[in-house]
């Protein structure tokens, strides 16, 4: 065994370094936690979930926005597939982005602003940056709405958030508070594995589960698990190591111990959750869990599927439907309460979906079908865009219907959710004014649906995000540039949502 000048043995160092690897979902905790007694029974309602279903290419406004405000009458052609569910929809118009970009193409500009409501988006060494200027003139990172919600939910569900679906290099939507972008998982098989490896999918018995979650976390003895014992061993080694270090190294080791402490907390959280799920298995909630059909068998099959998405509309549709089913399953099993689905592609081909003209390439249709004045756009291409967006809505309607049919004990999963259906561009001409915006679900009673609300022109999209986050428990009352935009309106919020 070798020994350094500081008196540290190589073995001690390696043992201490062993826990630097982040722990994934810890399957071996299941056995220890299953025998735990999570607490008493107390009636409680299911939690609120927030889903974002975002498509590409903007939309065709005259076929998307209802002509009348107030109670929804017959829906415009693009939204027609949602007609059976219009009592559970809230259409919002005149929401816009006002941020500027530097050194980006138009797609990047729109994509980086999409969920951040940023004042400025740019790129440094090829990495996206998003920022807002605060009321006191300070510049800070513009976090995306889903990641802010994920921070609010980090101790509520197994996964703080999920980002899934088909996004490409230019269309990066999600950004953490430190400014880093969040990759989307394209492979449905990997999404399922992440959710359920080592777990049995089960519909929660909310009356029992929510009451149990209110009990102190110490009700489960984490020390009983093998993984907890490993963490304790590493901590003991690290503390012995600390006595022999200089000031600089002690600082580094302090950061390391803080990371290990967070792992301990994570272990305790997972143990509690698995204990609750173990009790649900023989006595689940009233709904039945459905595993999505047609999942790729292995990585090669998944790659073949993903390669076909942009070229074959039939495969493309099944892929979006599968990702939507996975989001529903994640919400139903309380695997996560925040999920963003990237659907569609500006580069996809749509033969069969587009039945007019000879052009099927979406990006070409977007440019030919849009102009500064609608009457100057190519009408055949614009009709092609309309058909593609009606097709997207059919796939979103599948998600809405599925959630509406899931009983959570007197209310549906849709009742207890708010799903944002939108696009990262307002229109195919890289527009940023009057985005297609629709909320589905009653957000547990925090939204009054069945209506079209028209706000004043260029009301910041960030106002909507501030409202959605407030329903998830955020108390800041603002988001992105909701209170600093040059187009600021309604004191950074949206009136009349409830």
């Amino acid at each position: 065994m070798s020994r350094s000048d500081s008196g540290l043995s190589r073995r001690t160092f390696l043992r201490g370094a062993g826990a630097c690897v982040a722990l994934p979902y810890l399957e071996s905790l299941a056995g220890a936690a299953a025998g735990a007694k999570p607490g008493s029974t107390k009636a409680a309602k299911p939690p609120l979930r927030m889903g974002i279903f975002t498509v590409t290419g903007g939309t065709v406004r005259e076929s998307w926005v209802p002509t009348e405000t107030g109670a929804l009458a017959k829906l415009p052609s693009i939204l027609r597939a949602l007609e059976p569910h219009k009592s559970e929809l809230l259409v919002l118009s005149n929401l816009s982005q006002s941020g500027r970009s530097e050194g980006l193409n138009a797609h990047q500009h729109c994509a980086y602003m999409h969920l951040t409501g940023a004042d400025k988006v740019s790129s440094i060494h090829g990495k996206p940056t998003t920022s807002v200027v605060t009321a006191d003139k300070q510049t800070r990172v513009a976090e995306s709405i889903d990641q802010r919600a994920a921070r609010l939910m980090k101790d509520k569900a197994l996964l703080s958030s999920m980002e899934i679906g088909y996004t490409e290099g230019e269309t990066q939507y999600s950004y953490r508070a430190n400014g880093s972008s969040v990759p989307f998982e394209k492979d449905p098989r990997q999404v399922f594995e992440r959710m359920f490896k080592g777990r049995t999918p089960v519909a929660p018995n909310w009356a029992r589960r929510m009451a149990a979650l209110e009990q102190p976390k110490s009700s489960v003895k984490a020390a009983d698990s093998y993984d907890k014992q490993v963490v304790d061993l590493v901590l003991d080694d690290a503390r012995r190591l600390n006595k022999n270090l200089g000031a600089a190294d002690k600082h580094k080791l302090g950061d390391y111990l803080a990371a290990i402490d967070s792992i301990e907390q994570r272990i305790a959280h997972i143990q509690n959750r698995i204990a609750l799920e173990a009790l649900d298995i023989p006595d689940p909630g009233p709904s039945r869990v459905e595993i999505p059909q047609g999942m790729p068998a292995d990585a090669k099959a998944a790659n073949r599927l993903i390669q076909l998405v942009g070229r074959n509309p039939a495969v493309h549709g099944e892929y979006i439907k599968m990702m939507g089913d996975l989001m529903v399953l994640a919400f139903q099993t309380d695997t996560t309460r925040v999920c963003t689905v990237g659907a569609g592609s500006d580069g996809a081909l749509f033969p069969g979906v587009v039945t007019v003209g000879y052009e099927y390439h979406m990006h070409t249709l977007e440019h030919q079908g849009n102009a500064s004045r609608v009457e100057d756009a190519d009408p055949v291409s614009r009709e092609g865009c309309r058909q593609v967006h009606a097709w997207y809505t059919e796939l979103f309607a599948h998600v809405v219907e599925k959630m509406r049919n899931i009983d959570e004990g007197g209310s549906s999963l849709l009742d207890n959710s708010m799903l944002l259906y939108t696009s990262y561009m307002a229109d195919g001409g890289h527009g940023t004014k009057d985005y297609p915006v629709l909320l589905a679900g009653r957000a547990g009673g925090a939204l009054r649906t069945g209506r079209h609300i028209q706000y004043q022109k260029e009301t910041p999209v960030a106002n909507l995000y501030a409202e959605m986050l407030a329903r998830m428990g955020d108390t800041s009352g603002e988001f992105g540039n909701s209170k600093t935009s040059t187009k600021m309106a309604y004191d950074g919020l949206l009136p009349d949502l409830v």
Side-chain angles (χ1 to χ4, degrees):
M1 180 190 307
S2 63
R3 184 172 289 273
S4 70
D5 293 342
S6 65
L8 306 179
S9 73
R10 181 179 178 81
R11 176 174 297 174
T12 298
F13 174 79
L14 291 175
R15 288 177 70 185
C20 287
V21 178
L23 289 180
Y25 173 75
L26 301 173
E27 295 173 57
S28 58
L29 291 174
K37 305 293 185 185
S40 63
T41 57
K42 180 181 177 182
K45 64 180 183 179
L48 176 62
R49 289 78 150 197
M50 187 183 87
I52 299 173
F53 193 97
T54 188
V55 303
T56 56
T59 193
V60 178
R61 189 185 186 285
E62 66 272 19
S63 301
W64 207 101
V65 180
T67 54
E68 302 294 330
T69 59
L72 288 172
K74 186 177 181 180
L75 294 177
S77 64
I78 289 180
L79 300 182
R80 196 66 50 78
L82 289 164
E83 186 75 28
H85 312 294
K86 66 183 177 186
S87 65
E88 293 161 298
L89 308 179
L90 195 53
V91 179
L92 310 174
S93 58
N94 279 342
L95 301 185
S96 305
Q97 297 277 10
S98 60
R100 64 185 177 87
S101 67
E102 187 174 278
L104 301 177
N105 67 40
H107 290 271
Q108 293 169 317
H109 174 199
C110 293
Y112 300 175
M113 287 194 307
H114 176 38
L115 299 180
T116 62
D119 284 319
K120 179 185 174 184
V121 293
S122 61
S123 173
I124 298 177
H125 304 304
K127 294 183 178 179
T129 66
T130 61
S131 61
V132 291
V133 178
T134 62
D136 58 356
K137 307 301 180 187
Q138 300 296 310
T139 299
R140 61 172 172 78
V141 167
E143 183 180 19
S144 58
I145 175 180
D146 57 336
Q147 296 310 298
R148 172 84 71 87
R151 287 198 288 119
L152 294 168
M153 295 292 110
K154 68 176 182 179
D155 295 325
K156 308 295 184 185
L158 270 180
L159 302 177
S160 57
S161 67
M162 290 173 52
E163 300 77 24
I164 61 177
Y166 197 90
T167 61
E168 298 174 306
E170 292 182 345
T171 52
Q172 298 182 54
Y173 305 138
S174 297
Y175 296 89
R176 299 185 182 92
N178 65 7
S180 60
S181 62
V182 181
F184 279 48
E185 179 56 64
K186 286 184 178 180
D187 181 349
R189 188 180 58 93
Q190 292 287 354
V191 173
F192 187 84
E193 284 280 304
R194 185 184 178 213
M195 289 198 291
F196 296 115
K197 189 172 184 179
R199 294 172 63 210
T200 300
V202 59
N205 183 326
W206 285 111
R208 181 179 58 235
R209 177 179 290 201
M210 293 303 292
L213 283 175
E214 295 173 359
Q215 301 303 308
K217 292 181 179 180
S218 59
S219 62
V220 174
K221 295 181 179 179
D224 291 339
S225 77
Y226 170 75
D227 300 276
K228 180 65 168 57
Q229 292 172 28
V230 171
V231 172
D232 287 343
L233 179 64
V234 172
L235 283 171
D236 287 344
D237 280 349
R239 287 170 184 136
R240 281 196 293 273
L241 182 67
N242 191 47
K243 298 176 182 175
N244 302 310
L245 299 178
D249 285 340
K250 282 185 177 180
H251 180 74
K252 293 177 183 175
L253 189 60
D255 291 342
Y256 166 79
L257 290 173
I260 296 298
D261 182 61
S262 71
I263 292 173
E264 276 194 297
Q265 295 176 29
R266 178 71 178 156
I267 288 173
H269 173 62
I270 292 173
Q271 283 183 310
N272 274 290
R273 275 299 307 267
I274 293 173
L276 294 168
E277 290 184 352
L279 294 173
D280 283 336
I281 289 173
D283 183 23
S287 64
R288 186 168 63 89
V289 170
E290 292 183 11
I291 306 302
Q293 300 297 307
M295 299 277 285
D298 52 34
K300 286 186 177 178
N303 286 334
R304 285 196 297 272
L305 171 71
I306 293 167
Q307 291 298 319
L308 281 172
V309 164
R311 292 178 289 173
N312 185 324
V315 174
H316 196 166
E318 287 303 312
Y319 176 81
I320 293 175
K321 192 176 289 186
M322 193 181 301
M323 286 303 191
D325 287 345
L326 285 168
M327 176 175 72
V328 173
L329 185 61
F331 286 161
Q332 182 186 14
T333 58
D334 199 35
T335 302
T336 190
R337 297 177 187 177
V338 180
C339 184
T340 305
V341 178
S345 167
D346 291 312
L349 300 172
F350 288 97
V353 175
V354 175
T355 61
V356 294
Y358 301 96
E359 183 60 64
Y360 307 119
H361 184 243
M362 191 58 194
H363 193 235
T364 304
L365 290 169
E366 289 169 6
H367 281 278
Q368 293 181 169
N370 284 275
S372 55
R373 299 189 312 161
V374 171
E375 54 268 36
D376 293 334
D378 172 49
V380 174
S381 295
R382 196 164 181 84
E383 170 60 13
C385 290
R386 189 199 66 79
Q387 292 180 338
V388 171
H389 286 286
W391 181 82
Y392 283 142
T393 303
E394 289 175 10
L395 297 166
F396 178 68
H398 166 80
V399 172
V400 172
E401 182 171 8
K402 195 158 191 174
M403 292 178 67
R404 188 186 199 186
N405 292 333
I406 291 177
D407 181 7
E408 295 203 294
S411 59
S412 72
L413 179 58
L414 184 63
D415 289 333
N416 301 313
S417 301
M418 55 179 172
L419 299 181
L420 172 61
Y421 179 49
T422 186
S423 171
Y424 84 93
M425 295 192 295
D427 58 58
H430 314 134
T432 58
K433 312 298 181 191
D434 200 3
Y435 279 76
V437 175
L438 179 153
L439 290 172
R442 295 189 169 90
L447 292 173
R448 185 158 58 92
T449 54
R451 299 177 299 146
H452 168 211
I453 304 175
Q454 185 180 71
Y455 293 103
Q456 70 182 52
K457 288 187 176 181
E458 300 190 41
T459 296
V461 174
N463 290 26
L464 169 64
Y465 297 161
E467 292 279 1
M468 292 174 67
L469 286 166
R471 284 158 177 77
M472 297 297 288
D474 184 80
T475 58
S476 69
E478 63 179 310
F479 179 80
N481 63 3
S482 64
K483 290 200 171 182
T484 57
S485 167
T486 56
K487 306 296 182 181
M488 179 182 163
Y490 307 112
D491 196 27
L493 298 171
L494 293 181
D496 199 29
L497 290 178
V498 66

